Amino acid sequence: MTSVVAHLEQRGRLPQLEEMPHPVISLLGHLRPAELKRLVEQEADPVKVDRSAERGALDTLLFLALELFHGRGPVSSLPLPVQLDIRAFFPSYTEACQRADRLLFKLRDDAYVRRAMNGSTAGKFTVTALYVHRRALHRAPAVLCLYEQCASIAAGRPGQWSVVKLRHQGRGVSWLDYPEFDTDPHPRITASYAVDLKTLKSSFTSYADSTNRPLLHRKHEFLTEDDPDAPKYRRLTDAEVRAGLYESPHLIGTEVGWERELVRTESELRGHRLVRRTTST
């Protein structure tokens, strides 16, 4: 029973017989579907179930939207879990495909994409783009997840990346690699891979030999509010604001400028803590 409850909470729907391990089938196979449903729903967390069902429906739409690029076939040609999700979350395969097509069409609507970015619970919204850490991307609105995946189909997603930049002025995506994002309070960029979706031109930039690399501030803004590391990153940002380190934003975007501001404010970093700079005698 525990595994069936976990499946319901994680997928937003009950498992079908063909998805259950044989030991579970032997234990629960004697129950009528309605009885099994009642028992499992009594044990499951309804909030988790509702959240997973919403996510499952969106994931299905994303899958069907991307299938259009490969030649979307009949429902029987789809992986079994997708078939079952369609059956659980949509009135019909036709309705699911129509909704997926409408989602794709929304990518052409600048105002819609901008509103999605502005309202996203994941990522940092700026005057030109939304920046989202890779572990928060799945929490962005479906149209933005589709935006990133379309770019990956067009140009190929790099193997190593930490933050994705989705432009709302024009259509372009950049995958930015900050390999020390989790450990460095202000991670330095090592590489950028960008694609312009209007021209399909791509470009790669390496910062490996740069002596003054761009770096990140306010790391919590690239995540979701409930990310486990967000409170630690937010505390550091608050301390840096109080110290006056963000008074001249145009100066702190690169390593050299940031170090100068640390010296000016007599500050230094120890992990994700800002402390008073020590002076040697």
Side-chain angles (χ1 to χ4, degrees), residues 19-72:
E19 294 180 290
M20 294 184 189
H22 288 294
V24 176
I25 295 175
S26 63
L27 288 173
L28 304 176
H30 66 284
L31 295 173
R32 295 191 303 273
E35 185 179 5
L36 178 62
K37 182 175 185 291
R38 179 180 60 81
L39 292 173
V40 173
E41 289 181 345
Q42 285 178 349
E43 298 294 326
D45 183 335
V47 175
K48 290 182 179 179
V49 174
D50 289 345
R51 187 181 299 138
S52 295
E54 181 181 357
R55 187 74 252 168
L58 292 175
D59 288 345
T60 303
L61 290 178
L62 290 175
F63 181 90
L64 293 175
L66 294 172
E67 275 294 286
L68 196 61
F69 294 100
H70 307 296
R72 190 189 294 152

Side-chain angles (χ1 to χ4, degrees), residues 160-173:
Q160 300 295 323
W161 64 280
S162 312
V163 174
V164 64
K165 173 186 176 182
L166 305 171
R167 288 195 343 233
H168 57 73
Q169 294 183 351
R171 286 293 178 274
V173 174

Side-chain angles (χ1 to χ4, degrees), residues 218-239:
R218 304 178 185 269
K219 286 200 302 183
H220 63 280
E221 294 183 351
F222 298 89
L223 303 167
T224 55
E225 289 187 359
D226 59 356
D227 186 280
D229 290 328
K232 176 174 66 175
Y233 299 161
R234 191 179 296 108
R235 285 193 297 270
L236 174 60
T237 296
D238 292 343

Side-chain angles (χ1 to χ4, degrees), residues 1 5 11 39 106 225 236-237 279:
M1 182 69 74
V5 171
R11 298 295 300 268
L39 292 173
K106 288 293 187 182
E225 289 187 359
L236 174 60
T237 296
T279 56

Side-chain angles (χ1 to χ4, degrees), residues 27-272:
L27 288 173
L28 304 176
H30 66 284
L31 295 173
R32 295 191 303 273
E35 185 179 5
L36 178 62
K37 182 175 185 291
R38 179 180 60 81
L39 292 173
V40 173
E41 289 181 345
Q42 285 178 349
E43 298 294 326
D45 183 335
V47 175
K48 290 182 179 179
V49 174
D50 289 345
R51 187 181 299 138
S52 295
E54 181 181 357
R55 187 74 252 168
L58 292 175
D59 288 345
T60 303
L61 290 178
L62 290 175
F63 181 90
L64 293 175
L66 294 172
E67 275 294 286
L68 196 61
F69 294 100
H70 307 296
R72 190 189 294 152
V75 66
S76 59
S77 68
L78 303 177
L80 178 61
V82 177
Q83 294 183 42
L84 297 175
D85 286 343
I86 292 171
R87 189 186 308 170
F89 303 134
F90 300 94
S92 67
Y93 179 48
T94 299
E95 171 67 19
C97 290
Q98 289 173 348
R99 287 183 56 182
D101 293 343
R102 288 196 293 270
L103 187 62
L104 267 174
F105 187 75
K106 288 293 187 182
L107 280 177
R108 301 174 59 185
D109 187 336
D110 288 346
Y112 184 90
V113 170
R114 185 181 177 88
R115 284 196 302 271
M117 290 183 178
N118 194 26
S120 177
T121 59
K124 179 176 183 176
F125 182 66
T126 72
V127 295
T128 59
L130 180 75
Y131 295 78
V132 190
H133 192 276
R134 67 182 302 166
R135 71 171 177 257
L137 182 58
H138 72 284
R139 297 279 295 277
V143 70
L144 303 183
C145 296
L146 182 59
Y147 186 173
E148 188 272 341
Q149 291 190 43
C150 286
S152 73
I153 291 174
R157 185 190 293 115
Q160 300 295 323
W161 64 280
S162 312
V163 174
V164 64
K165 173 186 176 182
L166 305 171
R167 288 195 343 233
H168 57 73
Q169 294 183 351
R171 286 293 178 274
V173 174
S174 300
W175 292 274
L176 314 173
D177 191 19
Y178 297 89
E180 306 300 326
F181 185 95
D182 291 329
T183 56
D184 190 332
H186 295 281
R188 280 68 169 162
I189 191 171
T190 60
S192 169
Y193 179 61
V195 57
D196 186 314
L197 290 179
K198 288 187 176 180
T199 64
L200 296 183
K201 291 183 178 179
S202 60
S203 60
F204 175 80
T205 303
S206 172
Y207 296 85
D209 298 325
S210 174
T211 58
N212 189 26
R213 293 171 293 175
L215 47 77
L216 292 182
H217 302 279
R218 304 178 185 269
K219 286 200 302 183
H220 63 280
E221 294 183 351
F222 298 89
L223 303 167
T224 55
E225 289 187 359
D226 59 356
D227 186 280
D229 290 328
K232 176 174 66 175
Y233 299 161
R234 191 179 296 108
R235 285 193 297 270
L236 174 60
T237 296
D238 292 343
E240 291 171 342
V241 170
R242 290 194 299 270
L245 282 161
Y246 294 167
E247 291 177 358
S248 303
H250 63 287
L251 299 179
I252 62 174
T254 58
E255 292 174 295
V256 172
W258 177 239
E259 181 59 31
R260 286 173 179 167
E261 287 300 286
L262 285 170
V263 171
R264 180 186 67 81
T265 58
E266 300 181 343
S267 305
E268 65 181 5
L269 289 159
R270 293 180 184 171
H272 284 79

